[in-house]
Amino acid sequence: GLSQEGKRLSDLHVLDLATMTWSQPQCRGEAPSPRLGHISVVLNDNVLVIFGGYGGPDGHTKFNDLYLLPFDPMTWTQPIVSGEPPPGVYAHSACSTGDKLLLFGGDDGITQKHLN
């Protein structure tokens, strides 16, 4: 997201729905770089998945990186994956089913048209 000053953020906030209380957990590992337009999905009720978005030093880099944050322990990892990854995209959608992550559409910032 963006701060009120326009700075890209990479912070994590948790809302406890039982108590309606916000917190910011302390996470270990290397968190994703600050970005906008990424997806975040919970996989198997115990892992937060972050993919894509844009940011970087120029503010226009399109990411195709994947980060995982298991809830126990709260340690960011970047898994080694095989196969051809999707292009760097933002404004895409995603959902999980079982142990699968499904990505759809988005914008690569290059072709001037949406992907699907």
Side-chain angles (χ1 to χ4, degrees):
L2 281 176
S3 70
Q4 291 180 348
E5 296 79 30
K7 179 182 173 190
R8 285 180 178 78
L9 304 172
S10 62
D11 52 351
L12 177 68
H13 297 263
V14 176
L15 176 62
D16 184 320
L17 296 174
T19 64
M20 298 306 287
T21 304
W22 284 103
S23 65
Q24 278 191 273
Q26 295 298 314
C27 301
R28 291 182 293 240
E30 186 175 332
S33 61
R35 61 191 63 211
L36 298 169
H38 58 283
I39 60 97
S40 77
V41 174
V42 174
L43 188 60
N44 293 326
D45 290 332
N46 63 1
V47 178
L48 178 65
V49 178
I50 303 288
F51 179 82
Y54 69 96
D58 65 358
H60 301 288
T61 300
K62 309 315 176 282
F63 298 117
N64 71 340
D65 51 0
L66 178 70
Y67 285 85
L68 304 177
L69 180 64
F71 297 154
D72 187 22
M74 297 284 280
T75 302
W76 288 105
T77 62
Q78 238 186 320
I80 296 171
V81 296
S82 60
E84 184 68 28
V89 293
Y90 64 96
H92 48 301
S93 60
C95 67
S96 66
T97 178
D99 61 353
K100 303 276 192 264
L101 177 66
L102 307 170
L103 299 175
F104 181 78
D107 193 325
D108 63 5
I110 298 170
T111 61
Q112 304 266 326
K113 57 185 171 184
H114 298 291
L115 307 174
N116 60 14

